[in-house]
Amino acid sequence: MAATAPETAEVAADPEAVKRHRTLFRAVRRRRNPPLRRTDITVTDESAVKRAVKAASLGNAMEWFDFGIYSYLAVTIGHVFFPSGNGTVQLLATFATFAVSFLVRPIGGMVFGPMGDKVGRKKVLALTMILMAVGTFAIGVIPAYATIGFWSPALLILFRLVQGFSTGGEYGGASTFIAEYAPDKRRGFFGSFLEFGTLAGYVGAAGLVTLLTTFLGSDGMESWGWRVPFLVAGPIGLVGLYLRLKLDETPAFQKLEDETKHQASDAASTVETTAKGDLAKIFRNYWPTLILCICLVGAYNITDYMLLSYMPTYLSDEMGYTETHGLLILIATMVVLMLIISQVGRLSDRFGRKPLLMTGMLGFLVLSVPSFLLVKQGSLVAVSAGMLLLGLSLVCMLGTMSAALPALFPTQVRYGSLSVGYNLSASLFGGTTPLVITALISATGSDLMPAYYAMAAALIGVIAVACMKETAQKPLAGSPPSVETHEEAAELVEAQAPVPRF
């Protein structure tokens, strides 16, 4: 990058000239790096932060409730929507339909990301909630293959595409919303609640499917019971929509709407008024960071979907567990992760994002095979221990990623860049994980293929974490510092003030 005029002047200046004109060169330096002013610093409103975290997390919980019920009902859905025959073929068809929704997620990210910068984050997050609820509810009313034949899987694919398109704007918007509200020193803690919502959604889905299967049995589930979890998404969606519509817009977007209501420094105004979606600019200027984001998200998503989505199918198809038994073990594992995830967020604030992410990646790299060997032993204790080892590795990423990813990009391109990078990676690696693992096991006959696949993903993740910059306790790129109290703001200004000379 070419140096600016002041930079060029100072670099080219003769040391003797600097000595003769100290005041001039000091003025040049101050113009290029103006001192931090009190008006540059955002003092967060804790109640507003908590409202944002609550609404974003609930939306995330609903999103993963919807995806979770599809994963946990994979065998049943295969029987309902696809022709009878080979069980493996039915399962592959089910997971292919699961994966197809991820094909449109990047498109959703490219639409909703820039839209969130133009019409408001709150409106876009409400819209994604509506689309997800409609898509999920509609799946619950599709007639079975035995009733309408080809149209049954065709309609299933259509509404899975609606779900995937809406999800394209969900994670980028929710994580950006929390990151922009949270104070710099607690961004990891508040961000961890977004993934708490993920686990809560999975637990809710697994619990409901387990309860229905216990009372209705396999025949009852295939007859009509499978519809209930999908239909529940309707009222849950209305609750989530209500909470999201009650949210205030982020201060940055409020500045765009009405310059007169929010006075800010010139530097802050520059940041806020340039927050417009520009996909060409994102791909042209930020492609190295996009690649880093795709690698981080790919490693994280493969391990996440392998454990939270695919594992019940593995336990039932490969280990001979009943569907209810496998889900109960997974529920217990996820409850443990929910109990500790906010503490992982606190640790990432204290020690940094990189150490926690590296711990998670190395955990999967080293512990995947031992964990699956424990699971293969079949006893309740061994299976639970293997799942817990994988879960503890995963929670190091779950509790940290929501704060680490938004900090990769500057404010003016954060929503769009994160939506594009996250969903490209989720499309390529996340949603295809159950399909790829099932196909690999079928092709090789080895039931350790999930472990090998997770290890390959973790290796990429280790390299990506090593390449990223540490962002804990620092302002978001392109944004002024964000603190919790006015006293902290005053201390920050005082700490950066020039030392007087006598």
Side-chain angles (χ1 to χ4, degrees):
M1 182 181 294
T4 61
E7 290 173 331
T8 305
E10 187 167 354
V11 170
D14 181 74
E16 293 299 321
V18 175
K19 290 181 181 179
R20 289 194 301 270
H21 305 286
R22 292 184 184 277
T23 303
L24 174 62
F25 283 99
R26 190 179 301 121
V28 170
R29 286 195 298 271
R30 287 177 64 84
R31 184 180 180 86
R32 192 171 73 247
N33 299 303
L36 187 66
R37 293 175 292 179
R38 171 62 189 83
T39 53
D40 293 331
I41 301 173
T42 300
V43 179
T44 60
D45 179 352
E46 186 170 355
S47 62
V49 175
K50 289 181 178 179
R51 286 197 304 271
V53 169
K54 185 186 301 182
S57 300
L58 180 64
N60 212 43
M62 182 193 163
E63 174 192 343
W64 297 112
F65 174 84
D66 296 340
F67 275 91
I69 55 180
Y70 190 93
S71 301
Y72 302 145
L73 289 170
V75 176
T76 301
I77 288 173
H79 295 161
V80 171
F81 285 98
F82 299 99
S84 59
N86 188 298
T88 301
V89 173
Q90 281 188 330
L91 190 60
L92 284 171
T94 304
F95 282 139
T97 309
F98 178 82
V100 77
S101 70
F102 286 79
L103 297 178
V104 295
R105 282 185 65 162
I107 301 174
M110 292 178 189
V111 171
F112 290 121
M115 187 187 298
D117 291 326
K118 293 176 181 178
V119 304
R121 283 124 163 81
K122 180 178 77 170
K123 294 177 182 177
V124 172
L125 288 173
L127 179 58
T128 60
M129 176 71 75
I130 293 170
L131 288 175
M132 176 61 77
V134 169
T136 307
F137 185 86
I139 290 175
V141 298
I142 299 174
Y145 183 88
T147 304
I148 61 172
F150 162 80
W151 290 106
S152 182
L155 288 172
L156 176 64
I157 291 172
L158 172 64
F159 291 120
R160 287 293 295 164
L161 290 174
V162 172
Q163 285 183 319
F165 184 72
S166 66
T167 306
E170 176 63 36
Y171 185 89
S175 58
T176 295
F177 207 91
I178 293 177
E180 291 180 349
Y181 261 114
D184 295 333
K185 292 184 178 180
R186 300 184 69 195
R187 191 174 298 116
F189 172 72
F190 286 116
S192 67
F193 284 95
L194 190 65
E195 298 298 352
F196 180 91
T198 298
L199 293 171
Y202 274 124
V203 167
L208 183 56
V209 170
T210 301
L211 190 64
L212 288 169
T213 304
T214 301
F215 282 100
L216 300 178
S218 297
D219 292 339
M221 286 297 289
E222 287 191 24
S223 175
W224 61 274
W226 67 270
R227 299 182 185 276
V228 175
F230 290 99
L231 297 177
V232 166
I236 293 178
L238 292 177
V239 173
L241 178 62
Y242 171 74
L243 288 176
R244 287 194 167 181
L245 288 176
K246 287 187 66 177
L247 284 174
D248 295 326
E249 289 288 2
T250 62
F253 188 78
Q254 289 181 18
K255 173 69 175 178
L256 289 176
E257 281 193 312
D258 189 351
E259 290 282 344
T260 63
K261 291 183 181 179
H262 298 277
Q263 300 299 321
S265 68
D266 293 340
S269 297
T270 300
V271 168
E272 292 169 349
T273 56
T274 57
K276 293 190 168 78
D278 185 349
L279 293 177
K281 179 181 179 181
I282 290 171
F283 284 105
R284 182 174 63 249
N285 296 342
Y286 298 96
W287 62 266
T289 314
L290 271 178
I291 292 175
L292 177 62
C293 178
I294 289 171
C295 291
L296 286 170
V297 174
Y300 156 61
N301 268 340
I302 285 174
T303 52
D304 183 285
Y305 283 98
M306 184 271 290
L307 180 62
L308 303 186
S309 294
Y310 173 75
M311 190 57 77
T313 302
Y314 180 85
L315 291 175
S316 60
D317 280 19
E318 304 299 329
M319 301 300 302
Y321 270 60
T322 63
E323 294 176 23
T324 301
H325 197 177
L327 281 177
L328 285 173
I329 296 174
L330 181 60
I331 289 172
T333 302
M334 290 191 291
V335 168
V336 172
L337 302 190
M338 290 175 68
L339 292 174
I340 64 176
I341 190 169
S342 62
Q343 299 307 313
V344 173
R346 289 183 192 273
L347 288 174
S348 77
D349 284 329
R350 182 176 180 182
F351 298 107
R353 318 288 185 231
K354 294 183 66 170
L356 270 297
L357 289 175
M358 188 63 79
T359 299
M361 298 296 182
L362 290 175
F364 274 102
L365 188 63
V366 175
L367 299 176
S368 289
V369 169
S371 296
F372 271 87
L373 290 176
L374 280 171
V375 171
K376 284 181 63 177
Q377 290 186 20
S379 69
L380 178 61
V381 173
V383 172
S384 300
M387 296 273 282
L388 189 58
L389 283 176
L390 294 173
L392 292 175
S393 299
L394 180 62
V395 80
C396 291
M397 293 185 274
L398 283 174
T400 309
M401 200 67 78
S402 297
L405 293 177
L408 292 176
F409 301 99
T411 302
Q412 63 267 28
V413 294
R414 180 172 297 120
Y415 198 141
S417 298
L418 182 53
S419 294
V420 170
Y422 185 92
N423 290 294
L424 277 174
S425 188
S427 175
L428 292 171
F429 306 111
T432 60
T433 296
L435 175 64
V436 170
I437 292 176
T438 303
L440 287 173
I441 292 176
S442 179
T444 64
S446 171
D447 49 15
L448 282 177
M449 290 311 298
Y452 299 144
Y453 195 52
M455 289 173 65
L459 181 60
I460 299 297
V462 167
I463 297 171
V465 173
C467 293
M468 68 180 284
K469 295 180 180 179
E470 183 57 71
T471 57
Q473 300 194 22
K474 297 177 181 178
L476 291 168
S479 291
S482 178
V483 298
E484 293 185 85
T485 65
H486 292 280
E487 291 76 14
E488 190 178 350
E491 291 173 3
L492 188 59
V493 172
E494 185 178 352
Q496 297 193 17
V499 179
R501 297 181 180 180
F502 298 98

